[in-house]
């Protein structure tokens, strides 16, 4: 999204999205402001008509009709402009936030690991408000004083040329002076924007980890910590406010002096019969209007500068270009039998420090492949590459004969059913969480997937069954229940390839037995790649690869690798077999199966 590169391009993009609405808004604002100036001139005409003629003369009533008509027109146009501003800012705010979420979700995972979810959400929500504030300022606080200034000069020139020149120069000087002073307050606005983003992230961090806060009796400590962030935010906000108020005080003093001088001048000219009473009235009222307008204009420009600071700060974070993009015209992946191939793949989250080195691997359709190795060996990174969460620095990855970096990213998930170690759930109903795998699935499809995953029984025992809300991140469910919902998602996906990333390693023995039954059903007749710490989960697999420091060091069936007696897989097996009496029942059964085959 190129328009995220600067605040000006951002504004132009969303104004250009509704050109006729903004054009109509501009016409309404110009009409309302011109009518306001016309009201002042109509007042002059009425007073002059009343002082020059007796009551009941046509000129008086014409001036009165013009005055009343302009007041009505001004009011109608102002209301129409306000309604239009409200409509366009609300509609644009919806589109802005959707565009921002769309852009954010296209980033690679490291982006989200470096940013707090709360801060990102705060900025996404704030962008719509910033756009609305800028539109309001420009059309209802910047444009009207400028139009009123132009209209006032026309009236002043018709009355007294020297007065028009002096007041015009004063208006420009006061406005420019206030703006220049206001720019010195930019540092305060920038500091407040940064502090507000930090506070938003801290608040979400505390609320999102409320279990930890309660478990470690950390309420007071967290409140004390938050107090520090909030105090620094308040100090930054207070400095900005005080700076603005000092400017307003200076302007009020200037206004009093200038209005007094203008009135003295106008009355002196009237006493010399060089001005009418109507001229004095319109000069006085327009002087007040102009000089108050200079303050309003300056404050609006300063506030606009502040909003630009907020916008720039948000775009610096949210507008970071995506590093994982589709090639132009990328076709959709044609899902086939589920063949996977890696050709000389090298990858590192930091390209200077690869975590996978020159890995080549071919997985035929229907094969069950286990990946084992020490922590940090590159096992999960291999799965992430297959899902195209990242692109390798060298080599290529193929699914059913198609390079994953040459097809549309959104077409990859239908070919893959993934069950991670920690299944993440939305604060939605059970049915909605399962249906994420296939939004068009019917209620019967969801229930069949739940039955296949072995979770239909516990779902029906929930207060509202499939309509029960699971809580944020599924906190109302146990770990085993969340894991089985993850398997139900995979069943509903019905993809030819299943990726398991330590899907049972965080479960207790009882939960592991229940989840493993669901996984066994899920893996039937599918290509499976499973990262495992518990070797029991891959003991019956067709094939196992052992990874060490990003390289494949062993490759073969579990029975073959164990029979070698001196390899990496054998050593891992021996470590887990030590203290067999304390191992879970699934491991003991798996050990018996492999040991029997070895004999």
């Amino acid at each position: 999204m190129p328009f995220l590169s600067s605040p000006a391009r951002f504004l132009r993009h969303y104004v250009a999205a509704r050109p006729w609405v903004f054009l109509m808004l501009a016409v309404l604002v110009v009409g309302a402001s011109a009518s306001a100036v016309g009201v002042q001139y109509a007042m002059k005409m009425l007073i002059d008509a009343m002082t020059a003629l007796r009551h009941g003369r046509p000129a008086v009533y014409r001036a009165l009709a013009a005055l009343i008509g302009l007041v009505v027109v001004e009011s109608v146009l102002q209301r129409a402009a306000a309604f239009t501003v409200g409509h366009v800012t609300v509609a644009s705010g919806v589109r802005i936030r959707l565009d921002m979420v769309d852009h954010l979700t296209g980033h690679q995972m490291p982006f989200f690991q470096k940013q707090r979810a709360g801060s990102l959400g705060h900025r996404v929500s704030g962008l719509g408000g910033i756009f609305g504030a800028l539109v309001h300022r420009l059309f209802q606080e910047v444009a009207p004083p400028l139009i009123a200034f132009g209209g006032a000069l026309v009236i002043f020139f018709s009355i007294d040329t020297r007065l028009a020149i002096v007041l015009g120069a004063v208006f420009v000087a006061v406005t420019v002076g206030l703006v220049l002073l206001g720019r010195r307050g930019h540092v305060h606005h920038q500091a407040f924007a940064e502090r507000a983003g930090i506070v938003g992230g801290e608040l979400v961090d505390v609320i999102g980890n409320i279990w930890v806060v309660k478990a470690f009796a950390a309420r007071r400590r967290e409140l004390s910590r938050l107090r520090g962030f909030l105090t620094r935010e308040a100090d930054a906000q207070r400095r900005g406010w005080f700076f603005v108020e000092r400017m307003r005080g200076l302007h009020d003093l200037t206004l009093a002096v200038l209005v007094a001088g203008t009135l003295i001048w106008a009355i002196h000219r009237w006493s010399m019969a060089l001005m009418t009473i109507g001229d004095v009235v319109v000069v006085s009222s327009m002087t007040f209007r102009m000089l108050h307008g200079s303050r309003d204009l300056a404050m609006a420009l300063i506030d606009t500068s502040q909003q630009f600071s907020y916008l720039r700060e948000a775009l610096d974070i949210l507008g970071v270009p995506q590093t994982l993009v589709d090639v132009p015209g990328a076709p959709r992946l044609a899902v086939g039998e589920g063949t996977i191939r890696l050709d000389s793949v090298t990858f590192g989250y930091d390209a200077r420090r690869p975590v996978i080195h020159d890995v080549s691997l071919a997985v035929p359709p229907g094969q069950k492949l286990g990946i084992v190795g020490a922590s940090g060996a590159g096992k999960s990174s291999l799965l992430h590459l297959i899902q195209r969460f990242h692109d390798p620095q060298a080599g290529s990855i193929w699914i059913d004969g198609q390079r994953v970096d040459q097809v549309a990213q959104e077409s990859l998930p239908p070919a893959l059913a993934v069950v991670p170690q920690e299944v993440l759930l939305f604060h939605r109903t059970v049915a909605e969480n399962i249906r994420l795998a296939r939004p068009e699935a019917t209620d019967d499809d969801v229930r069949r997937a739940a039955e296949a995953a072995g979770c239909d029984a516990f779902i029906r025992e929930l207060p509202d069954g499939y309509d029960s809300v699971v809580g944020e991140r599924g906190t109302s469910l146990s770990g085993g229940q969340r894991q089985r919902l993850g398997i139900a998602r995979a069943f509903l996906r019905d993809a030819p390839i299943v990726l398991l990333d330590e899907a049972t390693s965080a479960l207790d023995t009882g939960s592991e037995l229940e989840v493993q039954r669901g996984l066994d059903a899920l893996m039937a007749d599918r290509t499976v790649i499973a990262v495992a710490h518990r070797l029991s989960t891959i003991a019956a697999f067709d094939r196992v690869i052992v990874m060490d420091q990003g390289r494949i060091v062993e490759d073969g069936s579990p029975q073959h690798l164990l029979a070698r007696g001196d390899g990496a897989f054998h050593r891992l097996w021996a470590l887990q077999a030590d203290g067999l009496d304390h191992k879970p029942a699934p491991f003991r059964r798996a050990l018996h199966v492999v040991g029997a085959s070895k004999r």
Side-chain angles (χ1 to χ4, degrees):
M1 293 184 178
F3 65 87
L4 297 178
S5 59
S6 72
R9 296 184 71 177
F10 178 87
L11 292 174
R12 282 200 302 270
H13 175 81
Y14 288 104
V15 169
R18 292 177 171 81
W20 294 109
V21 176
F22 279 98
L23 178 60
M24 181 177 69
L25 178 59
V27 170
L28 291 172
V29 169
V30 170
S33 299
S35 297
V37 175
V39 167
Q40 304 299 319
Y41 194 76
M43 180 64 73
K44 161 191 156 45
M45 292 172 57
L46 178 61
I47 292 173
D48 285 344
M50 291 174 66
T51 55
L53 301 170
R54 295 299 177 188
H55 295 292
R57 298 297 178 87
V60 174
Y61 293 109
R62 285 197 298 269
L64 179 60
L67 176 63
I68 294 173
L70 287 169
V71 168
V72 172
V73 170
E74 178 191 4
S75 178
V76 170
L77 292 179
Q78 282 183 342
R79 297 286 63 76
F83 279 120
T84 305
V85 167
H87 165 75
V88 76
T89 54
V90 170
S92 297
V94 171
R95 177 168 176 175
I96 287 168
R97 284 174 286 181
L98 287 174
D99 286 348
M100 291 303 100
V101 173
D102 180 50
H103 180 72
L104 279 180
T105 52
H107 280 300
Q108 290 181 273
M109 294 306 295
F111 173 84
F112 298 98
Q113 293 163 357
K114 296 175 183 177
Q115 301 290 338
R116 284 181 167 177
S119 292
L120 292 176
H122 174 78
R123 290 182 172 92
V124 168
S125 298
L127 274 181
I130 292 171
F131 180 83
L134 285 170
V135 170
H136 180 271
R137 295 285 183 273
L138 292 173
F139 282 95
Q140 295 196 302
E141 295 183 16
V142 172
L146 289 175
I147 297 168
F149 170 65
L153 282 185
V154 172
I155 294 175
F156 287 165
F157 271 111
S158 69
I159 297 173
D160 189 315
T161 301
R162 289 178 299 171
L163 180 63
I165 294 172
V166 171
L167 286 179
V170 168
F171 177 88
V172 173
V174 170
T175 303
V176 171
L178 287 173
V179 171
L180 291 177
L181 283 174
R183 290 177 62 85
R184 295 174 58 185
H186 172 76
V187 62
H188 303 307
H189 307 321
Q190 183 74 29
F192 175 60
E194 293 173 358
R195 292 294 179 188
I198 293 172
V199 166
E202 289 291 334
L203 287 171
V204 173
D205 201 26
V206 171
I207 296 170
N209 291 284
I210 191 64
W211 183 90
V212 179
V213 173
K214 288 184 173 292
F216 292 93
R219 287 179 62 200
R220 297 302 173 191
R221 280 175 286 159
E222 290 302 315
L223 282 173
S224 178
R225 185 172 183 274
L226 280 174
R227 185 177 293 108
F229 287 103
L230 291 169
T231 299
R232 287 188 286 274
E233 180 201 31
D235 288 343
Q237 187 178 25
R238 191 179 296 114
R239 284 191 291 270
W241 279 351
F242 287 174
F243 183 85
V244 170
E245 289 306 317
R246 286 196 296 269
M247 288 181 54
R248 285 176 173 163
L250 179 62
H251 178 271
D252 289 343
L253 178 61
T254 305
L255 175 65
V257 173
L258 291 174
V259 168
T262 303
L263 286 173
I264 292 171
W265 185 354
I267 292 173
H268 172 70
R269 301 281 289 173
W270 167 78
S271 66
M272 297 175 64
L274 298 175
M275 278 188 182
T276 66
I277 295 177
D279 291 336
V280 174
V281 171
V282 77
V283 166
S284 302
S285 62
M286 290 305 298
T287 299
F288 272 108
R289 193 179 187 94
M290 283 179 59
L291 293 179
H292 272 298
S294 71
R295 184 190 65 184
D296 293 341
L297 176 60
M299 294 297 105
L301 291 174
I302 293 167
D303 190 70
T304 299
S305 174
Q306 178 179 349
Q307 295 296 335
F308 263 91
S309 297
Y310 295 157
L311 180 56
R312 187 178 295 107
E313 192 270 342
L315 293 180
D316 285 344
I317 301 296
L318 301 178
V320 174
Q322 296 173 352
T323 56
L324 194 69
V325 295
D326 290 340
V327 296
R332 294 185 63 82
L333 177 73
V335 180
E337 296 179 324
T339 301
I340 300 174
R341 190 173 88 246
L342 283 73
D343 290 339
S344 304
V345 170
T346 296
F347 167 72
Y349 300 98
D350 181 344
R352 296 167 297 181
R353 288 188 281 273
V355 295
I356 293 177
H357 301 267
D358 195 30
V359 168
S360 293
L361 180 68
V363 185
Q367 187 175 80
K368 310 294 184 287
L369 172 68
I371 306 177
V372 300
S375 296
K379 306 183 297 298
S380 294
S381 297
L382 210 59
L383 295 192
H384 293 167
L385 290 173
I386 293 172
Q387 297 172 77
R388 208 193 170 198
F389 287 166
H390 315 274
D391 280 338
Q393 279 83 40
S396 57
I397 301 167
W398 303 71
I399 293 179
D400 288 327
Q402 302 153 85
R403 279 185 56 156
V404 299
D405 59 350
Q406 299 297 312
V407 299
Q409 293 180 62
E410 65 177 16
S411 66
L412 280 173
L416 307 170
V418 184
V419 182
Q421 179 179 1
E422 181 185 1
V423 172
L424 299 178
L425 302 177
F426 287 95
H427 184 64
R428 301 173 190 172
T429 67
V430 171
E432 287 175 313
N433 272 287
I434 296 176
R435 194 176 276 114
L436 284 170
R438 186 154 54 90
E440 71 278 7
T442 65
D443 290 343
D444 288 339
D445 293 334
V446 170
R447 287 189 175 87
R448 281 193 291 269
E451 290 170 356
C455 55
D456 178 71
F458 87 75
I459 292 174
R460 292 184 181 278
E461 293 175 358
L462 295 174
D464 296 309
Y466 282 83
D467 293 325
S468 298
V469 177
V470 301
E472 189 171 6
R473 291 177 170 264
T475 51
S476 65
L477 304 178
S478 69
Q481 290 172 334
R482 291 195 296 270
Q483 209 70 18
R484 278 178 281 170
L485 288 185
I487 297 172
R489 281 179 181 170
F491 268 111
L492 189 62
R493 171 71 78 184
D494 193 24
I497 298 171
V498 175
L499 304 180
L500 307 176
D501 192 357
E502 301 180 25
T504 63
S505 63
L507 302 177
D508 59 78
T509 303
S511 297
E512 182 186 3
L513 284 171
E514 296 172 349
V515 169
Q516 190 62 53
R517 282 194 290 268
L519 288 174
D520 291 341
L522 174 65
M523 292 187 293
D525 302 321
R526 289 181 170 91
T527 304
V528 178
I529 299 181
V531 171
H533 273 307
R534 292 181 181 174
L535 302 187
S536 59
T537 60
I538 48 93
F541 274 29
D542 304 314
R543 179 183 174 194
V544 171
I545 61 172
V546 183
M547 295 192 69
D548 183 34
Q549 297 183 1
R551 292 180 171 85
I552 297 176
V553 295
E554 285 187 352
D555 185 350
S557 69
Q559 295 83 2
H560 173 73
L561 296 180
L562 192 60
R564 292 177 56 180
D566 59 349
F569 184 75
H570 184 275
R571 289 193 296 273
L572 290 171
W573 189 270
L575 286 173
Q576 293 200 12
D578 185 30
L580 179 62
D581 292 339
H582 302 289
K583 295 295 176 183
F587 186 89
R588 295 198 300 272
R589 287 196 298 272
L591 184 62
H592 173 74
V593 171
V594 176
S597 64
K598 178 183 175 183
R599 291 193 294 272

